[in-house]
Amino acid sequence: MSASGGTKAIVAALGANLAIAVAKFVAFLFSGSSSMLAESVHSLADSGNQGLLLLGGKKAKREATPQHPFGYGRERYIYAFLVSIVLFSVGGMFAVYEGYEKIKHPHEIEAWYWPVGVLVFAIIAEGFSFRTAIKESNETRGALSWTEFIRRAKAPELPVVLLEDFGALIGLVLALGGVGLAVGTGDGVWDGIGTLCIGILLIVIAIVLAAETKSLLLGEAAGTDQVEKIKAAVVDGDTVTGIIHMRTLHLGPEELLVAAKIAVQHDDTALEVANAINAAESRIREAVPIARVIYLEPDIYNEAAARSGTNPAKDHPGADPATDPATDLANGSGGSTAVATEPASTEPPSTEPTSTEPDKAPDTPADPTESGH
């Protein structure tokens, strides 16, 4: 897994959660606190989740095969989605059930100093893990807010660890509050309420993780900055005069596919077009190194046809005019978006014979809208 995959943060979270899970379970045995039992299961589930993230990163490194020609980069997305399921079912639903039972059949907490001591230790350990995740995220977050980072990050590991650690810290505070109120009032119902709140918190975090990883699994386009770099790299102003339409797709966190129909001069020879395509591919890979699979199709651009509505994205109310490929080229700029990745080929890409018919319009893109979060 690359550094951007947050391996250090995952390992730190795994070590902290394993130690915390053991301590919480011991505290539960001595005190009988349902909050401690729920937190024990929560930490155990988090430990399993970190194991899933590490396994997904390892499986994603496998070489491409004839059956999977674009490789296994999306394994990381699949395992991140599994994390949300585990967090929802094992962590959240168990805590909700345990909290309900404790509210229905409350009992006094025994040896209160055990859960309090363990919770203080757990807050310190989780704080260290959270600090590590924040430090590693800051290396790639740039100027994005934390909400934007979680929504836009293409590598799922760091957002998962950040949300898990954040949820764990809040859950520990809830557990400490529930235990403290139960001890102070002598009413075990407060312990059950704290447990129920922990369960609801975990379910909410699991839903957020599921929504974000689902978007990655469906396929997201390159980021805005990367799209602009690709657009600038494709057009040379000589042979390649513009982008008729373009699509990008993340096949994995560090793998990008770029597919574009480019406008060339009607009197260019096949050799000139082929050389221009090879040069454009080199410029794209230099500007955006993760763009490993690139398909460029030459065509003759017709401005009137482009403006007539051949781009389906124009028919969708949610389409972003700033990334409307046909409109972009008609205005003299490039197209939009991104697709997956594959090692560069040493063979020159094939080109299609170009048409000199003046009324020829660009082909309609396969995807009417671009994906992203």
Side-chain angles (χ1 to χ4, degrees), residues 262-288:
I262 58 176
V264 298
Q265 302 288 354
H266 71 279
D267 55 352
D268 287 332
T269 65
L271 179 59
E272 289 174 332
V273 171
N275 289 336
I277 289 176
N278 290 334
E281 289 178 349
S282 298
R283 292 194 301 271
I284 291 172
R285 291 191 173 97
E286 183 177 353
V288 182

Side-chain angles (χ1 to χ4, degrees), residues 8-362:
K8 185 186 297 184
I10 296 174
V11 173
L14 177 60
N17 281 318
L18 284 174
I20 292 170
V22 173
K24 287 176 180 176
F25 191 71
V26 171
F28 160 71
L29 292 177
F30 280 95
S31 66
S33 168
S34 65
S35 292
M36 294 308 303
L37 179 58
E39 279 294 310
S40 300
V41 175
H42 175 194
S43 295
L44 191 62
D46 281 353
S47 300
N49 288 341
Q50 272 94 56
L52 287 173
L53 293 176
L54 291 172
L55 180 61
K58 182 178 180 180
K59 286 182 171 292
K61 293 180 178 179
R62 289 180 294 172
E63 295 292 332
T65 63
Q67 188 175 4
H68 299 280
F70 291 111
Y72 294 86
R74 289 196 181 183
E75 288 271 16
R76 289 165 66 177
Y77 299 153
I78 293 172
Y79 279 86
F81 188 76
L82 290 176
V83 165
S84 67
I85 296 175
V86 172
L87 193 63
F88 177 87
S89 57
V90 178
M93 295 305 294
F94 176 82
V96 167
Y97 170 78
E98 183 65 22
Y100 170 77
E101 286 295 317
K102 190 58 179 285
I103 293 173
K104 190 176 180 180
H105 306 291
H107 65 80
E108 187 177 352
I109 294 179
E110 302 172 359
W112 60 267
Y113 43 83
W114 273 99
V116 170
V118 167
L119 287 171
V120 172
F121 161 74
I123 289 174
I124 295 173
E126 284 288 1
F128 169 77
S129 173
F130 192 43
R131 178 178 176 273
T132 302
I134 290 175
K135 183 178 179 181
E136 197 161 353
S137 297
N138 281 332
E139 296 177 1
T140 58
R141 183 169 65 96
L144 295 176
S145 67
W146 286 110
T147 301
E148 291 173 333
F149 174 71
I150 291 173
R151 289 184 60 83
R152 297 183 186 181
K154 305 305 180 185
E157 292 84 2
L158 280 174
V160 168
V161 174
L162 280 168
L163 285 174
E164 277 191 349
D165 286 349
F166 179 70
L169 284 171
I170 295 179
L172 289 169
V173 172
L174 291 172
L176 188 59
V179 171
L181 287 171
V183 172
T185 62
D187 188 353
V189 169
W190 287 106
D191 187 31
I193 293 175
T195 306
L196 188 63
C197 291
I198 292 170
I200 295 173
L201 171 69
L202 295 180
I203 289 174
V204 170
I205 292 177
I207 291 173
V208 172
L209 284 177
E212 294 305 319
T213 51
K214 174 191 173 184
S215 178
L216 293 169
L217 279 170
L218 289 175
E220 290 192 354
T224 304
D225 291 344
Q226 291 175 324
V227 169
E228 292 303 318
K229 290 178 180 179
I230 294 171
K231 288 161 65 175
V234 171
V235 180
D236 61 10
D238 184 14
T239 304
V240 182
T241 59
I243 300 174
I244 298 174
H245 61 73
M246 183 172 77
R247 293 291 181 267
T248 61
L249 178 70
H250 268 275
L251 296 180
E254 284 93 28
E255 296 175 288
L256 187 66
L257 175 122
V258 179
K261 177 167 285 193
I262 58 176
V264 298
Q265 302 288 354
H266 71 279
D267 55 352
D268 287 332
T269 65
L271 179 59
E272 289 174 332
V273 171
N275 289 336
I277 289 176
N278 290 334
E281 289 178 349
S282 298
R283 292 194 301 271
I284 291 172
R285 291 191 173 97
E286 183 177 353
V288 182
I290 66 171
R292 300 176 189 172
V293 180
I294 302 173
Y295 299 108
L296 301 179
E297 178 185 359
D299 204 343
I300 305 300
Y301 177 70
N302 184 296
E303 182 174 338
R307 288 185 180 276
S308 67
T310 56
N311 177 22
K314 298 170 69 177
D315 299 328
H316 289 257
D320 183 0
T323 56
D324 185 338
T327 303
D328 280 350
L329 186 54
N331 293 331
S333 63
S336 67
T337 131
V339 194
T341 62
E342 151 185 295
S345 173
T346 56
E347 299 179 4
S350 62
T351 61
E352 297 181 357
T354 59
S355 170
T356 58
E357 296 177 8
D359 59 347
K360 180 173 180 181

